[in-house]
Amino acid sequence: MTQSFPTSNPEASASPKKQQTTQSQRMTDSETRYQRLMELVEAEDASNGEVGCGRDWGERLPVYLRTCGINISDEKLRTLLREHLGNVLMERDFDSIMTQVSRFIESVVVQVHSQSESPKPSPPQTEQVTEHIPTAELRQSFQSELGEFVNDADIEQIVQFTHQVIHQAVLHPRYTFSEPIWVLKGDEKIYIAQAKRVQEAIAKVREQNPEETGELKVVKVGGLLSPDQVISLEPTEI
């Protein structure tokens, strides 16, 4: 007597309609994952790379999960930055500084509270760090929020790191200025063009106004008037 046994592959014995439904479900899941990936890529691009999935803490992940709430107040440090560097940097520069300092503090706190390794001493300062914010103000701010969880040596390490990050931001700000506006005076007309250099501005004027063959003089650039110059335009030209 011959006995028949069910196949080991459930999908192989499933009806064509069921197989079709399964394949359709897989396609839907794949499309959903792809859409989610695109949303994450778009979010990271819009935030200029400030969005991420976090760091790989390895065996110290439980320590991070217990201590991730220990950090500085965003607004407290941002207030200091605005007070001392509001005329030099912009909010997106402050965002970058805050992110770097916050992540460094996370590393210090995890290191201090890890049972698997003892805290490492603060590295000696090998070069003079530019203090765009007085050290006393930074130290007091960090001490008031972190003093309960880390020692004085760790506070000094965080202060020195913050000085370095701020100085780098001042040297290389993340914002970019728009190209300057050039006001050029010809024999009979005044031209306004936007370009990085005066040669490019003149080239634009001559390209769009080929009849202008005379000398072009700079009357105004970058918001500063040339000496003893006054711009006069007819109302119909504005």
Side-chain angles (χ1 to χ4, degrees):
M1 181 178 179
T2 303
Q3 293 182 340
S4 60
F5 297 93
T7 178
S8 59
N9 185 354
E11 290 190 8
S13 59
S15 63
K17 183 176 181 180
K18 185 176 181 180
Q19 290 182 3
Q20 188 176 17
T21 302
T22 303
Q23 292 176 357
S24 176
Q25 181 65 36
R26 287 176 179 173
M27 287 295 295
T28 302
D29 293 342
S30 177
E31 291 173 356
T32 301
R33 287 194 299 269
Y34 178 77
Q35 181 180 358
R36 179 56 177 160
L37 176 61
M38 291 299 99
E39 290 174 353
L40 293 173
V41 171
E42 182 179 356
E44 180 151 347
D45 181 65
S47 64
N48 202 26
E50 294 300 331
V51 175
C53 298
R55 287 171 288 175
D56 183 6
W57 289 99
E59 296 179 353
R60 295 192 294 181
L61 178 60
V63 180
Y64 167 73
L65 294 177
R66 292 199 309 269
T67 61
C68 59
I70 303 174
N71 216 308
I72 55 172
S73 166
D74 181 281
E75 192 56 36
K76 199 167 187 178
L77 180 54
R78 193 179 293 269
T79 299
L80 284 177
L81 292 170
R82 289 171 179 160
E83 178 182 346
H84 293 276
L85 294 167
N87 62 331
V88 178
L89 300 177
M90 299 179 68
E91 288 299 321
R92 62 182 304 182
D93 299 299
F94 298 158
D95 292 340
S96 176
I97 293 171
M98 292 297 308
T99 298
Q100 294 181 68
V101 173
S102 178
R103 289 180 177 176
F104 183 77
I105 292 174
E106 285 179 352
S107 299
V108 171
V109 172
V110 167
Q111 175 181 296
V112 169
H113 290 78
S114 293
Q115 299 178 356
S116 57
E117 61 175 302
S118 59
K120 299 177 182 178
S122 303
Q125 184 176 334
T126 57
E127 60 180 353
Q128 184 67 30
V129 178
T130 303
E131 297 181 6
H132 297 280
I133 298 178
T135 295
E137 290 190 45
L138 278 179
R139 183 186 298 116
Q140 180 181 4
S141 179
F142 292 137
Q143 186 72 41
S144 64
E145 296 188 280
L146 303 173
E148 181 182 349
F149 310 102
V150 298
N151 58 37
D152 292 342
D154 296 316
I155 294 291
E156 290 303 316
Q157 186 178 355
I158 295 170
V159 168
Q160 293 304 314
F161 178 83
T162 304
H163 277 315
Q164 295 171 4
V165 170
I166 293 174
H167 186 54
Q168 286 299 314
V170 172
L171 292 178
H172 307 285
R174 300 184 63 179
Y175 65 86
T176 55
F177 292 104
S178 59
E179 295 179 350
I181 302 294
W182 299 84
V183 179
L184 306 170
K185 182 177 182 298
D187 293 335
E188 299 180 356
K189 295 182 178 180
I190 289 179
Y191 304 93
I192 300 176
Q194 188 171 18
K196 291 183 180 179
R197 293 181 292 273
V198 63
Q199 294 84 353
E200 297 178 6
I202 292 175
K204 286 184 177 182
V205 171
R206 297 197 186 283
E207 179 183 357
Q208 298 180 27
N209 302 271
E211 71 281 0
E212 184 63 65
T213 58
E215 182 183 1
L216 293 173
K217 297 181 180 180
V218 177
V219 179
K220 181 180 179 182
V221 59
L224 298 176
L225 283 172
S226 298
D228 302 323
Q229 293 290 337
V230 174
I231 297 177
S232 177
L233 298 176
E234 294 295 333
T236 56
E237 298 180 54
I238 299 177

